[in-house]
Amino acid sequence: MNSSTNDLADANLLQALREHARWQEPCTCVEEGGVLMMAGANAFPGAFRNCVVRVDPRVPAAGVLQRAQAFFTQRKRGYTLLARASRDADLIAALLAAGMTPLADSPCMLIEQAVEEPTVPAGIRFESMTELRHVQDAVTINAEAYEALKLPAAETRVFFGRPQEVLSPSMVGFVAYRDGVPLSTALTLLSGEGAGVYWVGTAAAARRSGLGELCTRLATNAGFASGARVVTLQASPFGEPIYQRLGYRTYDRQLRFRFPAPLSAGT
């Protein structure tokens, strides 16, 4: 049975969580009872670090919350619960009824055909991510770029504690350079008939130069070149207008609920 493009896009998001677990050191990523739970390299409670997502929609909301609470109570950590509006409506309703407010509500977007190849500006060179130096350059770019989204630079670097793991057959990446200086980047995660664009970022010195869009074009087309039927991404407020212009459409929304570090029994 052919999977829908929405299903392929959602499966890529789940695979992205697993990949981010591989990149961190140390990291514990457990999938049991239809729930994926990740305890990352430190106690930072963000998505892709210390987080929970329901993998099997048949698991009731109470079961997801019980498993998450047990997992993170054992580790004395706070965490982020990722909920997709179309797949986790019951879970979202339970959290809202409990008085919780989502920390973030961002569009999950997809596209089903390749975009126009970018015209490379004079003085800019794009390199495929084939060596460790490319990964390190991409991390340097995003450590600066994601501070605009309130992610501390040091925490961005922690996501890539094992940078050599990014150089895998399932990953394609691009870095834009001017005079040898890394300025912009994007990664593509391949997951069979789906692909996803992640870690699009541009250094402050090159913002509003269009390089982020050019990297996104390359990353998008790399997904289709690998045989994907759909390419997906989760958009920030800064990136959403760019992705819409490229032809991406919103197919779902991702809500993030932040849980504080649970109290251990007897405290």
Side-chain angles (χ1 to χ4, degrees):
M1 181 176 66
N2 288 333
S3 298
S4 72
T5 53
N6 288 18
D7 289 339
L8 292 171
D10 190 69
N12 186 270
L13 171 60
L14 297 178
Q15 188 59 28
L17 290 165
R18 301 180 186 108
E19 286 294 315
H20 278 74
R22 290 179 56 244
W23 299 347
Q24 296 177 63
E25 181 64 43
C27 185
T28 300
C29 188
V30 175
E31 290 188 55
E32 58 183 22
V35 182
L36 185 156
M37 297 168 288
M38 182 200 304
N42 64 19
F44 185 75
F48 293 83
R49 178 74 55 80
N50 291 285
C51 60
V52 175
V53 65
R54 179 165 58 183
V55 177
D56 185 343
R58 296 171 296 182
V59 180
V64 175
L65 297 174
Q66 289 168 1
R67 287 184 179 277
Q69 192 75 0
F71 183 83
F72 286 99
T73 294
Q74 182 181 10
R75 291 160 177 81
K76 299 179 181 179
R77 289 187 177 187
Y79 60 96
T80 296
L81 187 145
L82 305 179
R84 293 90 80 206
S86 69
R87 297 171 184 268
D88 299 313
D90 61 324
L91 186 52
I92 293 170
L95 295 172
L96 294 177
M100 296 193 68
T101 301
L103 183 70
D105 179 352
S106 57
C108 301
M109 308 182 79
L110 62 77
I111 192 169
E112 296 172 82
Q113 61 184 14
V115 299
E116 183 179 349
E117 286 288 334
T119 300
V120 181
I124 296 297
R125 183 181 76 260
F126 287 97
E127 293 188 16
S128 297
M129 202 172 289
T130 58
E131 302 176 21
L132 189 57
R133 67 178 177 88
H134 293 125
V135 181
Q136 293 166 336
D137 287 344
V139 174
T140 297
I141 293 166
N142 281 324
E144 180 179 310
Y146 279 76
E147 286 188 308
L149 296 174
K150 310 302 182 185
L151 178 64
E155 296 299 342
T156 293
R157 295 188 180 95
V158 172
F159 280 114
F160 297 91
R162 303 176 69 199
Q164 68 278 5
E165 295 295 333
V166 181
L167 298 173
S168 75
S170 64
M171 298 300 304
V172 181
F174 301 92
V175 182
Y177 296 88
R178 179 187 291 122
D179 298 328
V181 177
L183 296 176
S184 192
T185 187
L187 292 174
T188 306
L189 168 62
L190 310 176
S191 57
E193 291 186 294
V197 178
Y198 299 88
W199 288 106
V200 179
T202 300
R207 285 178 191 155
R208 296 183 176 83
S209 65
L211 290 180
E213 178 178 334
L214 299 186
C215 284
T216 302
R217 287 180 181 273
L218 290 172
T220 299
N221 289 349
F224 288 113
S226 76
R229 289 170 46 203
V230 62
V231 177
T232 185
L233 52 78
Q234 295 81 52
S236 71
F238 300 106
E240 184 177 7
I242 296 172
Y243 306 138
Q244 289 175 332
R245 188 164 63 245
L246 293 179
Y248 280 85
R249 63 175 175 83
T250 298
Y251 73 93
D252 208 343
R253 299 199 70 83
Q254 181 189 107
L255 283 69
R256 300 182 181 184
F257 293 86
R258 179 72 53 81
F259 287 74
L263 294 176
S264 300
T267 60

